[in-house]
Amino acid sequence: MMNKRLCKFNALLFMIIFLSLTFFTTFGVKNISGKSLNSYPMVFVNGIYGWSKEEIEKRSYWGGSLDIIERLNNEGFKALSATVGNFSSNWDRAVELYYYIKGGRVDYGAAHAAKYGHERYGKIFPGIYPEWNEASKIHLIGHSYGGQTIRLLVELLRNGDKDEQDRYLADPSLGISPLFEGEKKWVESITTLGTPLNGSTFVNYASKNNKKLYLGLGGFPSLYNSNPKYDFKISQWGIKREEDESIYDYYERVQKNPIWDSEDNALGVLTTKGAEEFNNKTKAYQDMYYFSYSGNNSFRDMLTGYYLPKEIIWTPSAYITGRYTQNNTLPFGDRSWWKNDGAVSVISAQYPFKQPHRNYVGEAKRGVWNVNPTMENWPQEDFIGLQVRQNLYEVMKFYRKLANNLSTLPR
């Protein structure tokens, strides 16, 4: 009798274990809310002046003294960070991002390298998620410039590049990167944080008037003075920080590099014209999710009508963005671009113009930009927890909610 009961108990226990494994394999793990999670990792991509832990050990790009990536992983989410070139073109950054995730030697493309005159091959990366494919997708999260980079990566994954394909067909001995072949539906969602999706009026100004203003965005180089390993990651242009070279000397060499005389640099897609051209070549795919977050840290001055920073931090970007005029030729008029987070106009960070969008209130829809409400009193740096006006608790609360939303999206 006892043996029969034991057999029944074992059979029941086996069935429970089997059903549990089946459930978790099919639907993923569960979070504390009890909702079913997809198992796709989140890959976070830097904007201007990004760095890795190898470069600045005790100060994370994602959170500063608070390591957001580490915290998310400790809370049961799967979060990874990728670091790509600071001043490199959107193309070079997207290519680097592919290899940073998948692994291998960076191949900027034979046609691209020949066109712009820099090295075809770059660094070798071990890959932070080498199993990445259509069955093992990822969520991409980009801060500032990183938001444009992840969008281009999706385009290359999906469609490849005709110029690279034609160059390969003309001379197969050159080889071609798998990235440029296309046909890869490997990304489940895109999330942009304070990204100039329609360009930056400050970059418009800097690209025409004083590139040093652009290079100085974010209070550089004082932030990195005590970090001798920091690198701008533009070795494809023949420049790399020398051993024992001061950050100031290195910075001066970067300003004199040919990258700034080329069209193959960060200024391109970050101008309003460059962003418009980029947006015309991209789309919101019906099988993907798109989310955007914008911040505002400005107010309208009643005397002048200009927008000023809410705190007395007179950065060139905040001052110029809050009053930039282009003879009223900007989409929706010059004044609509004045409200900003200190570097990016609110109107630019919400959604790419002419692409489908909707206000996001908790129920995500595929194939359109799900636009979150503008976060008031959030300057650009708050999105990554640096020089925060919000407390670190609020920053982590934001990322915890973001991660939970992504991980509970249905497959």
PDB file of all heavy atoms in Angstrom, residues 148-167:
ATOM      1  N   GLN A 148      20.017  56.053 -32.525  1.00  0.00           N
ATOM      2  CA  GLN A 148      20.151  56.033 -33.979  1.00  0.00           C
ATOM      3  C   GLN A 148      20.968  54.826 -34.436  1.00  0.00           C
ATOM      4  O   GLN A 148      20.689  54.218 -35.475  1.00  0.00           O
ATOM      5  CB  GLN A 148      20.813  57.332 -34.469  1.00  0.00           C
ATOM      6  CG  GLN A 148      20.000  58.596 -34.242  1.00  0.00           C
ATOM      7  CD  GLN A 148      18.741  58.652 -35.082  1.00  0.00           C
ATOM      8  OE1 GLN A 148      17.868  57.810 -34.970  1.00  0.00           O
ATOM      9  NE2 GLN A 148      18.651  59.653 -35.951  1.00  0.00           N
ATOM     10  N   THR A 149      21.957  54.465 -33.646  1.00  0.00           N
ATOM     11  CA  THR A 149      22.821  53.330 -33.985  1.00  0.00           C
ATOM     12  C   THR A 149      22.050  52.018 -33.991  1.00  0.00           C
ATOM     13  O   THR A 149      22.219  51.193 -34.896  1.00  0.00           O
ATOM     14  CB  THR A 149      23.994  53.251 -32.996  1.00  0.00           C
ATOM     15  OG1 THR A 149      24.742  54.468 -33.058  1.00  0.00           O
ATOM     16  CG2 THR A 149      24.909  52.085 -33.316  1.00  0.00           C
ATOM     17  N   ILE A 150      21.204  51.801 -33.009  1.00  0.00           N
ATOM     18  CA  ILE A 150      20.450  50.549 -32.968  1.00  0.00           C
ATOM     19  C   ILE A 150      19.425  50.484 -34.091  1.00  0.00           C
ATOM     20  O   ILE A 150      19.115  49.395 -34.600  1.00  0.00           O
ATOM     21  CB  ILE A 150      19.791  50.314 -31.595  1.00  0.00           C
ATOM     22  CG1 ILE A 150      18.783  51.410 -31.256  1.00  0.00           C
ATOM     23  CG2 ILE A 150      20.861  50.219 -30.512  1.00  0.00           C
ATOM     24  CD1 ILE A 150      18.076  51.199 -29.907  1.00  0.00           C
ATOM     25  N   ARG A 151      18.914  51.624 -34.519  1.00  0.00           N
ATOM     26  CA  ARG A 151      17.979  51.637 -35.649  1.00  0.00           C
ATOM     27  C   ARG A 151      18.687  51.237 -36.938  1.00  0.00           C
ATOM     28  O   ARG A 151      18.142  50.457 -37.739  1.00  0.00           O
ATOM     29  CB  ARG A 151      17.360  53.026 -35.801  1.00  0.00           C
ATOM     30  CG  ARG A 151      16.440  53.435 -34.668  1.00  0.00           C
ATOM     31  CD  ARG A 151      15.923  54.852 -34.860  1.00  0.00           C
ATOM     32  NE  ARG A 151      15.130  54.952 -36.078  1.00  0.00           N
ATOM     33  CZ  ARG A 151      14.982  56.067 -36.787  1.00  0.00           C
ATOM     34  NH1 ARG A 151      15.616  57.180 -36.409  1.00  0.00           N
ATOM     35  NH2 ARG A 151      14.234  56.070 -37.858  1.00  0.00           N
ATOM     36  N   LEU A 152      19.898  51.744 -37.148  1.00  0.00           N
ATOM     37  CA  LEU A 152      20.634  51.380 -38.353  1.00  0.00           C
ATOM     38  C   LEU A 152      21.034  49.905 -38.314  1.00  0.00           C
ATOM     39  O   LEU A 152      20.995  49.217 -39.345  1.00  0.00           O
ATOM     40  CB  LEU A 152      21.879  52.249 -38.516  1.00  0.00           C
ATOM     41  CG  LEU A 152      22.763  51.933 -39.729  1.00  0.00           C
ATOM     42  CD1 LEU A 152      21.961  51.964 -41.035  1.00  0.00           C
ATOM     43  CD2 LEU A 152      23.943  52.886 -39.809  1.00  0.00           C
ATOM     44  N   LEU A 153      21.408  49.404 -37.147  1.00  0.00           N
ATOM     45  CA  LEU A 153      21.758  47.993 -37.044  1.00  0.00           C
ATOM     46  C   LEU A 153      20.595  47.120 -37.510  1.00  0.00           C
ATOM     47  O   LEU A 153      20.789  46.143 -38.237  1.00  0.00           O
ATOM     48  CB  LEU A 153      22.143  47.646 -35.607  1.00  0.00           C
ATOM     49  CG  LEU A 153      22.426  46.159 -35.346  1.00  0.00           C
ATOM     50  CD1 LEU A 153      23.575  45.658 -36.212  1.00  0.00           C
ATOM     51  CD2 LEU A 153      22.712  45.911 -33.873  1.00  0.00           C
ATOM     52  N   VAL A 154      19.385  47.452 -37.098  1.00  0.00           N
ATOM     53  CA  VAL A 154      18.212  46.678 -37.514  1.00  0.00           C
ATOM     54  C   VAL A 154      18.045  46.716 -39.035  1.00  0.00           C
ATOM     55  O   VAL A 154      17.749  45.696 -39.670  1.00  0.00           O
ATOM     56  CB  VAL A 154      16.940  47.194 -36.806  1.00  0.00           C
ATOM     57  CG1 VAL A 154      15.685  46.614 -37.444  1.00  0.00           C
ATOM     58  CG2 VAL A 154      16.981  46.847 -35.326  1.00  0.00           C
ATOM     59  N   GLU A 155      18.254  47.905 -39.631  1.00  0.00           N
ATOM     60  CA  GLU A 155      18.145  48.014 -41.088  1.00  0.00           C
ATOM     61  C   GLU A 155      19.153  47.114 -41.796  1.00  0.00           C
ATOM     62  O   GLU A 155      18.829  46.445 -42.785  1.00  0.00           O
ATOM     63  CB  GLU A 155      18.337  49.468 -41.530  1.00  0.00           C
ATOM     64  CG  GLU A 155      17.221  50.407 -41.154  1.00  0.00           C
ATOM     65  CD  GLU A 155      15.887  50.028 -41.780  1.00  0.00           C
ATOM     66  OE1 GLU A 155      15.892  49.615 -42.965  1.00  0.00           O
ATOM     67  OE2 GLU A 155      14.863  50.135 -41.102  1.00  0.00           O
ATOM     68  N   LEU A 156      20.383  47.097 -41.313  1.00  0.00           N
ATOM     69  CA  LEU A 156      21.412  46.258 -41.928  1.00  0.00           C
ATOM     70  C   LEU A 156      21.113  44.783 -41.719  1.00  0.00           C
ATOM     71  O   LEU A 156      21.300  43.961 -42.627  1.00  0.00           O
ATOM     72  CB  LEU A 156      22.783  46.613 -41.357  1.00  0.00           C
ATOM     73  CG  LEU A 156      23.334  47.987 -41.738  1.00  0.00           C
ATOM     74  CD1 LEU A 156      24.624  48.278 -40.984  1.00  0.00           C
ATOM     75  CD2 LEU A 156      23.568  48.087 -43.245  1.00  0.00           C
ATOM     76  N   LEU A 157      20.656  44.423 -40.529  1.00  0.00           N
ATOM     77  CA  LEU A 157      20.296  43.033 -40.273  1.00  0.00           C
ATOM     78  C   LEU A 157      19.185  42.581 -41.205  1.00  0.00           C
ATOM     79  O   LEU A 157      19.227  41.470 -41.754  1.00  0.00           O
ATOM     80  CB  LEU A 157      19.845  42.869 -38.818  1.00  0.00           C
ATOM     81  CG  LEU A 157      20.917  42.931 -37.733  1.00  0.00           C
ATOM     82  CD1 LEU A 157      20.268  43.047 -36.359  1.00  0.00           C
ATOM     83  CD2 LEU A 157      21.823  41.705 -37.785  1.00  0.00           C
ATOM     84  N   ARG A 158      18.204  43.431 -41.392  1.00  0.00           N
ATOM     85  CA  ARG A 158      17.042  43.075 -42.203  1.00  0.00           C
ATOM     86  C   ARG A 158      17.342  43.085 -43.696  1.00  0.00           C
ATOM     87  O   ARG A 158      16.954  42.164 -44.425  1.00  0.00           O
ATOM     88  CB  ARG A 158      15.918  44.078 -41.919  1.00  0.00           C
ATOM     89  CG  ARG A 158      15.346  44.008 -40.518  1.00  0.00           C
ATOM     90  CD  ARG A 158      14.119  43.136 -40.524  1.00  0.00           C
ATOM     91  NE  ARG A 158      13.495  43.072 -39.224  1.00  0.00           N
ATOM     92  CZ  ARG A 158      12.232  42.690 -39.023  1.00  0.00           C
ATOM     93  NH1 ARG A 158      11.470  42.365 -40.053  1.00  0.00           N
ATOM     94  NH2 ARG A 158      11.741  42.608 -37.817  1.00  0.00           N
ATOM     95  N   ASN A 159      18.002  44.125 -44.163  1.00  0.00           N
ATOM     96  CA  ASN A 159      18.126  44.359 -45.599  1.00  0.00           C
ATOM     97  C   ASN A 159      19.540  44.254 -46.145  1.00  0.00           C
ATOM     98  O   ASN A 159      19.732  44.287 -47.359  1.00  0.00           O
ATOM     99  CB  ASN A 159      17.567  45.753 -45.930  1.00  0.00           C
ATOM    100  CG  ASN A 159      16.139  45.919 -45.453  1.00  0.00           C
ATOM    101  OD1 ASN A 159      15.299  45.070 -45.726  1.00  0.00           O
ATOM    102  ND2 ASN A 159      15.853  46.988 -44.723  1.00  0.00           N
ATOM    103  N   GLY A 160      20.538  44.159 -45.262  1.00  0.00           N
ATOM    104  CA  GLY A 160      21.914  44.164 -45.745  1.00  0.00           C
ATOM    105  C   GLY A 160      22.257  45.496 -46.376  1.00  0.00           C
ATOM    106  O   GLY A 160      21.648  46.528 -46.067  1.00  0.00           O
ATOM    107  N   ASP A 161      23.220  45.508 -47.284  1.00  0.00           N
ATOM    108  CA  ASP A 161      23.607  46.746 -47.965  1.00  0.00           C
ATOM    109  C   ASP A 161      23.958  46.443 -49.418  1.00  0.00           C
ATOM    110  O   ASP A 161      24.811  45.591 -49.697  1.00  0.00           O
ATOM    111  CB  ASP A 161      24.799  47.392 -47.271  1.00  0.00           C
ATOM    112  CG  ASP A 161      25.197  48.699 -47.936  1.00  0.00           C
ATOM    113  OD1 ASP A 161      24.480  49.697 -47.746  1.00  0.00           O
ATOM    114  OD2 ASP A 161      26.206  48.704 -48.671  1.00  0.00           O
ATOM    115  N   LYS A 162      23.280  47.125 -50.332  1.00  0.00           N
ATOM    116  CA  LYS A 162      23.461  46.854 -51.756  1.00  0.00           C
ATOM    117  C   LYS A 162      24.867  47.169 -52.238  1.00  0.00           C
ATOM    118  O   LYS A 162      25.437  46.433 -53.059  1.00  0.00           O
ATOM    119  CB  LYS A 162      22.440  47.634 -52.578  1.00  0.00           C
ATOM    120  CG  LYS A 162      22.409  47.248 -54.059  1.00  0.00           C
ATOM    121  CD  LYS A 162      21.305  47.974 -54.790  1.00  0.00           C
ATOM    122  CE  LYS A 162      21.230  47.491 -56.245  1.00  0.00           C
ATOM    123  NZ  LYS A 162      22.493  47.611 -56.975  1.00  0.00           N
ATOM    124  N   ASP A 163      25.458  48.269 -51.771  1.00  0.00           N
ATOM    125  CA  ASP A 163      26.812  48.624 -52.205  1.00  0.00           C
ATOM    126  C   ASP A 163      27.814  47.536 -51.834  1.00  0.00           C
ATOM    127  O   ASP A 163      28.684  47.183 -52.639  1.00  0.00           O
ATOM    128  CB  ASP A 163      27.235  49.961 -51.591  1.00  0.00           C
ATOM    129  CG  ASP A 163      26.480  51.135 -52.180  1.00  0.00           C
ATOM    130  OD1 ASP A 163      25.917  50.983 -53.290  1.00  0.00           O
ATOM    131  OD2 ASP A 163      26.455  52.196 -51.542  1.00  0.00           O
ATOM    132  N   GLU A 164      27.686  47.020 -50.625  1.00  0.00           N
ATOM    133  CA  GLU A 164      28.594  45.956 -50.203  1.00  0.00           C
ATOM    134  C   GLU A 164      28.336  44.669 -50.983  1.00  0.00           C
ATOM    135  O   GLU A 164      29.277  43.944 -51.347  1.00  0.00           O
ATOM    136  CB  GLU A 164      28.449  45.699 -48.697  1.00  0.00           C
ATOM    137  CG  GLU A 164      28.870  46.853 -47.807  1.00  0.00           C
ATOM    138  CD  GLU A 164      30.332  47.239 -47.975  1.00  0.00           C
ATOM    139  OE1 GLU A 164      31.149  46.385 -48.397  1.00  0.00           O
ATOM    140  OE2 GLU A 164      30.661  48.403 -47.686  1.00  0.00           O
ATOM    141  N   GLN A 165      27.089  44.388 -51.258  1.00  0.00           N
ATOM    142  CA  GLN A 165      26.751  43.196 -52.035  1.00  0.00           C
ATOM    143  C   GLN A 165      27.274  43.304 -53.465  1.00  0.00           C
ATOM    144  O   GLN A 165      27.819  42.336 -54.015  1.00  0.00           O
ATOM    145  CB  GLN A 165      25.234  42.986 -52.029  1.00  0.00           C
ATOM    146  CG  GLN A 165      24.681  42.633 -50.654  1.00  0.00           C
ATOM    147  CD  GLN A 165      23.165  42.777 -50.568  1.00  0.00           C
ATOM    148  OE1 GLN A 165      22.500  43.089 -51.560  1.00  0.00           O
ATOM    149  NE2 GLN A 165      22.616  42.570 -49.383  1.00  0.00           N
ATOM    150  N   ASP A 166      27.128  44.478 -54.064  1.00  0.00           N
ATOM    151  CA  ASP A 166      27.628  44.679 -55.434  1.00  0.00           C
ATOM    152  C   ASP A 166      29.152  44.569 -55.482  1.00  0.00           C
ATOM    153  O   ASP A 166      29.713  44.005 -56.437  1.00  0.00           O
ATOM    154  CB  ASP A 166      27.187  46.051 -55.961  1.00  0.00           C
ATOM    155  CG  ASP A 166      25.688  46.117 -56.238  1.00  0.00           C
ATOM    156  OD1 ASP A 166      25.062  45.045 -56.293  1.00  0.00           O
ATOM    157  OD2 ASP A 166      25.163  47.240 -56.379  1.00  0.00           O
ATOM    158  N   ARG A 167      29.813  45.122 -54.453  1.00  0.00           N
ATOM    159  CA  ARG A 167      31.278  45.049 -54.422  1.00  0.00           C
ATOM    160  C   ARG A 167      31.734  43.593 -54.308  1.00  0.00           C
ATOM    161  O   ARG A 167      32.712  43.189 -54.937  1.00  0.00           O
ATOM    162  CB  ARG A 167      31.785  45.863 -53.228  1.00  0.00           C
ATOM    163  CG  ARG A 167      33.323  45.984 -53.124  1.00  0.00           C
ATOM    164  CD  ARG A 167      33.891  46.843 -54.248  1.00  0.00           C
ATOM    165  NE  ARG A 167      35.330  46.998 -54.129  1.00  0.00           N
ATOM    166  CZ  ARG A 167      35.945  48.044 -53.598  1.00  0.00           C
ATOM    167  NH1 ARG A 167      35.216  49.056 -53.137  1.00  0.00           N
ATOM    168  NH2 ARG A 167      37.255  48.102 -53.548  1.00  0.00           N
TER     169      ARG A 167
END
